Amino acid sequence: MAFAVSGEPYDRFMGRYSRELAPRLIDFAGLGSGTRTLDVGCGPGALTVALADRVGAARVAAADPSEPLLAACAARVPGADVRLAPAEKLPWPDESFEAVLSQLVLNFVSDADAAVAEMRRVVVPGGILASCTWDYAGGMRMLRTFWDAARELDPKAPDELHMRYRSEEELATLWSRAGLDEVGTAPLEVEIAYDGFDDYWEPFTLGVGPAGEYCASLEPEQREALRDGCFRRLGSPEGPFSLTARAFGVRGIR
């Protein structure tokens, strides 16, 4: 339910990161022009748009289980084959694509092994499978700041550190377990500018993802205390500032 939101709230929360990350994932995957490509877990379409720019919308397909996010993706990439589906049950025949990518998705699927197996099924022999997830341990400062402040106030607060497939080792093992060859990993880094602290904080109040869901669950005074904690941890910024974020990418060949 944390992703049962429209594209606009998602864009304000994570979209600014996704848009910068997408071309880095595409370059890491090694996609050439004209490659038939699928975006698994497309959300509102940051990676789908970047893929369409690289290979042409007619050669791009996308899937997501969230109807409102999928609608945003379809509106942004006219001509792409956009379908409502979870990563574990993709509605395309075997060997339909030359490359299958997923961005910031594997932490949230119900069965990562099943999802990668489906990605492998729909790619041709010799095709590319590539994905990336945030380095929640410290490389994604926007989220790390939030959760460190939350746990300072409430040691029992959840934390995305519990998620799997957030390290290069875990991702490489997952890809190898799926029978993929030439498995490789790499850090993918972006830097995002904020107009001020409110530009950082307000997206958390929109209920997107685990952090937004947790923020929405708090009483007003708890939420204000969390806001103050984030403000301090970011150095009490009074004007524009930037945050870095690191994801880990994984790539393999069927």
Side-chain angles (χ1 to χ4, degrees):
M1 293 303 294
F3 292 100
V5 296
S6 68
E8 194 274 335
Y10 184 91
D11 283 342
R12 288 186 60 195
F13 179 68
M14 191 57 71
R16 67 183 84 194
Y17 286 89
S18 301
R19 287 189 295 273
E20 293 296 320
L21 186 60
R24 289 163 174 79
L25 176 60
I26 293 170
D27 289 341
F28 167 69
L31 264 64
S33 60
T35 303
R36 291 178 291 130
T37 308
L38 171 64
D39 178 5
V40 177
C42 62
L47 178 59
T48 317
V49 169
L51 288 170
D53 289 343
R54 181 70 60 94
V55 306
R59 289 184 172 269
V60 174
D64 198 276
S66 168
E67 291 190 43
L69 294 183
L70 195 73
C73 179
R76 288 171 177 168
V77 195
D81 180 8
V82 179
R83 305 191 192 183
L84 185 71
E88 299 90 337
K89 195 172 181 180
L90 299 172
W92 287 276
D94 295 356
E95 302 179 8
S96 293
F97 304 98
E98 294 162 317
V100 180
L101 277 64
S102 66
Q103 177 169 279
L104 309 177
V105 171
L106 290 175
N107 312 104
F108 300 102
V109 300
S110 60
D111 186 334
D113 285 284
V116 178
E118 275 290 271
M119 292 165 64
R120 186 182 187 279
R121 178 185 66 78
V122 299
V123 78
V124 299
I128 299 166
L129 268 70
S131 186
C132 65
T133 59
W134 289 126
D135 171 16
Y136 291 105
M140 208 300 178
R141 195 176 174 199
M142 181 266 277
L143 291 172
R144 188 73 265 135
T145 298
F146 177 90
W147 288 118
D148 285 349
R151 290 179 70 84
E152 182 180 38
L153 296 166
D154 176 11
K156 295 182 179 180
D159 190 323
E160 285 161 310
L161 283 174
H162 74 279
M163 289 184 172
R164 299 187 66 188
Y165 311 116
R166 56 182 177 81
S167 71
E168 290 179 283
E169 294 77 13
E170 285 181 297
L171 290 168
T173 298
L174 179 63
W175 251 234
S176 296
R177 199 160 61 228
L180 297 165
D181 298 323
E182 300 179 32
V183 175
T185 62
L188 309 174
E189 299 186 352
V190 298
E191 183 172 350
I192 304 301
Y194 288 92
D195 294 336
F197 181 73
D198 285 343
D199 192 26
Y200 166 87
W201 172 252
E202 288 178 2
F204 285 103
T205 69
L206 302 176
V208 181
E213 195 169 43
Y214 175 75
C215 187
S217 75
L218 299 176
E219 297 296 330
E221 62 274 11
Q222 295 172 312
R223 194 176 302 119
E224 189 62 25
L226 178 55
R227 182 188 187 281
D228 291 343
C230 290
F231 185 68
R232 292 196 312 274
R233 286 177 176 275
L234 291 174
S236 304
E238 295 297 339
F241 64 95
S242 297
L243 296 177
T244 57
R246 178 174 60 240
F248 291 126
V250 63
R251 179 186 185 275
I253 303 296
R254 177 180 173 185

